[in-house]
């Protein structure tokens, strides 16, 4: 009976969240546009008649046309195909970095917030040292130290956002740990690890979900910046930032080479921020139906 009640409560909470989200037109617009973008990123490279890395010396630097919707670059490669294929790298790397950062932030933040004392002091002082360095600068330093590579880029982007996730979850956990159901769980013999994983974290991570959603948008920008200065994804892989870097010498005469990759970066970031704002409002416990 208890299991059925818990299932009902979870489903009911999900329905309430979906209902609140549906009222937010900006959030739904952002989510819809982002889903369309993701589907296009998956489908377009498959159906495109061009390969993202195939060069055509007869089609070098051609403007947008019916044959090449976004034009071609300085090597005759189809920019339309490269933009959508590059979206796979931009989004997957950004999402992977945020998932890694969120996982580490969840564990460390839960430990700091639940136990407090010396563990909390040590963790927070270490975070103070890390956060004394600007996030983007820290990402560049780590990326330069680790070298190029997708896995190294994911780590570099993730490390800079871990402190914020730790602080965010720590504050929520410090409020959650005072609830009576934790005392009841302790009274019936639940281990500390079980209390944290089953009761503390699930009731504390709403702000972290919102932070992760907006964190993907930030990670897209950071990845583009790293690739632009030569520390992220390397050519000929068509990541959006790498495409901007390859086209910066042609801005005056062939601006379309930069416009389309930059436009897709802007659209992705805008959609995620709009959805994140709506998700934050929907998860706000102060809202009343």
């Amino acid at each position: 009976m208890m299991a059925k009640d818990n299932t009902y409560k979870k489903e009911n909470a999900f329905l309430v969240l979906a209902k609140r989200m549906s009222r937010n037109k900006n959030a739904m617009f952002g989510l819809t546009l982002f889903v369309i973008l993701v589907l296009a990123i998956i489908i377009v490279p498959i159906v495109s008649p061009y390969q993202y890395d195939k060069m055509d010396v007869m089609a070098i630097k051609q403007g947008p046309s019916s044959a090449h919707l976004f034009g071609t670059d300085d090597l005759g490669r189809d920019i339309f195909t490269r933009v959508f294929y590059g979206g796979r790298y931009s989004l997957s790397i950004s999402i992977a970095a945020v998932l890694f950062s969120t996982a580490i932030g969840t564990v460390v933040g839960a430990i700091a917030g639940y136990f407090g004392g010396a563990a909390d002091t040590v963790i927070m002082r270490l975070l103070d040292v890390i956060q004394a360095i600007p996030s983007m600068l820290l990402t560049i330093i780590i990326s330069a130290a680790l070298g190029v590579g997708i896995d190294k880029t994911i780590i570099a982007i993730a490390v800079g956002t871990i402190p914020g996730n730790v602080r965010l979850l720590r504050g929520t956990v410090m409020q959650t740990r005072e609830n009576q159901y934790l005392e009841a769980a302790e009274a019936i013999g639940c281990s500390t690890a079980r209390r944290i994983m089953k009761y503390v974290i699930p009731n504390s991570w709403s702000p972290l979900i919102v932070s992760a959603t907006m964190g993907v948008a930030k990670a897209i920008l950071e990845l583009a910046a790293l690739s632009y200065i030569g520390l992220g994804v390397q050519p000929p892989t068509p990541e959006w930032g790498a495409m901007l870097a390859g086209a910066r010498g042609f801005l005056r005469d062939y601006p379309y080479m930069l416009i389309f990759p930059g436009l897709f970066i802007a659209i992705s970031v805008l959609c995620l921020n709009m959805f994140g704002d709506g998700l934050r409002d929907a998860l706000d416990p102060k809202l009343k139906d």
Side-chain angles (χ1 to χ4, degrees):
M1 185 67 180
M2 183 64 68
K4 292 182 179 180
D5 290 342
N6 290 337
T7 302
Y8 173 77
K9 289 179 180 178
K10 290 179 180 178
E11 292 177 351
N12 187 50
F14 177 79
L15 291 175
V16 171
L17 177 62
K19 183 178 179 181
R20 289 176 176 174
M21 288 293 296
S22 65
R23 295 174 184 164
N24 192 318
K25 294 182 180 179
N26 290 334
M28 296 309 298
F29 174 78
L31 176 61
T32 303
L33 187 57
F34 185 73
V35 170
I36 293 173
L37 177 61
V38 171
L39 291 176
I41 286 172
I42 295 172
I43 296 172
V44 169
I46 298 175
V47 301
S48 174
Y50 304 101
Q51 297 178 5
Y52 78 90
D53 58 349
K54 185 176 182 180
M55 295 178 286
D56 184 358
V57 295
M58 302 301 294
I60 291 176
K61 300 177 184 176
Q62 290 186 359
S65 63
S66 58
H68 301 281
L69 295 180
F70 291 174
T72 60
D73 62 11
D74 57 314
L75 297 176
R77 297 171 296 189
D78 182 65
I79 294 178
F80 180 80
T81 303
R82 287 177 62 79
V83 163
F84 284 99
Y85 195 93
R88 296 181 176 185
Y89 288 93
S90 295
L91 293 183
S92 60
I93 292 174
S94 299
I95 292 172
V98 170
L99 289 176
F100 178 69
S101 170
T102 302
I104 300 298
T106 298
V107 174
V108 178
I111 293 173
Y114 187 82
F115 293 103
D120 182 38
T121 301
V122 172
I123 291 172
M124 298 314 295
R125 295 299 75 77
L126 180 60
L127 294 183
D128 288 340
V129 174
I130 296 175
Q131 290 189 302
I133 305 174
S135 176
M136 190 64 222
L137 178 59
L138 179 62
T139 301
I140 292 174
I141 292 172
I142 296 173
S143 181
L146 295 178
V148 297
I150 292 178
D151 55 341
K152 299 178 180 64
T153 301
I154 290 173
I155 294 173
I157 295 174
V159 169
T161 57
I162 288 176
N165 289 334
V166 172
R167 290 184 181 277
L168 186 62
L169 191 68
R170 170 183 174 269
T172 310
V173 168
M174 291 180 71
Q175 298 176 359
T176 304
R177 70 182 183 183
E178 303 298 331
N179 291 328
Q180 293 182 351
Y181 59 78
L182 288 177
E183 297 179 4
E186 183 177 3
I188 63 175
C190 284
S191 64
T192 301
R194 181 177 176 83
R195 292 199 300 271
I196 293 175
M197 297 301 298
K198 187 174 181 179
Y199 300 107
V200 175
I201 293 179
N203 288 286
S204 305
W205 62 8
S206 292
L208 206 58
I209 294 175
V210 178
S211 176
T213 303
M214 294 186 172
V216 175
K218 181 182 177 183
I220 291 173
L221 293 175
E222 290 188 350
L223 174 60
L226 286 177
S227 299
Y228 189 81
I229 62 178
L231 293 175
V233 178
Q234 301 298 300
T237 303
E239 191 272 330
W240 291 334
M243 292 182 68
L244 291 177
R248 58 189 170 191
F250 307 101
L251 177 59
R252 182 184 297 272
D253 298 320
Y254 307 99
Y256 63 87
M257 292 187 188
L258 287 91
I259 289 175
F260 291 111
L263 181 62
F264 275 78
I265 292 174
I267 291 174
S268 300
V269 172
L270 177 63
C271 290
L272 288 168
N273 282 334
M274 291 174 68
F275 177 68
D277 284 337
L279 189 61
R280 178 191 59 201
D281 295 340
L283 291 172
D284 189 346
K286 296 179 181 178
L287 291 178
K288 301 294 183 181
D289 292 320

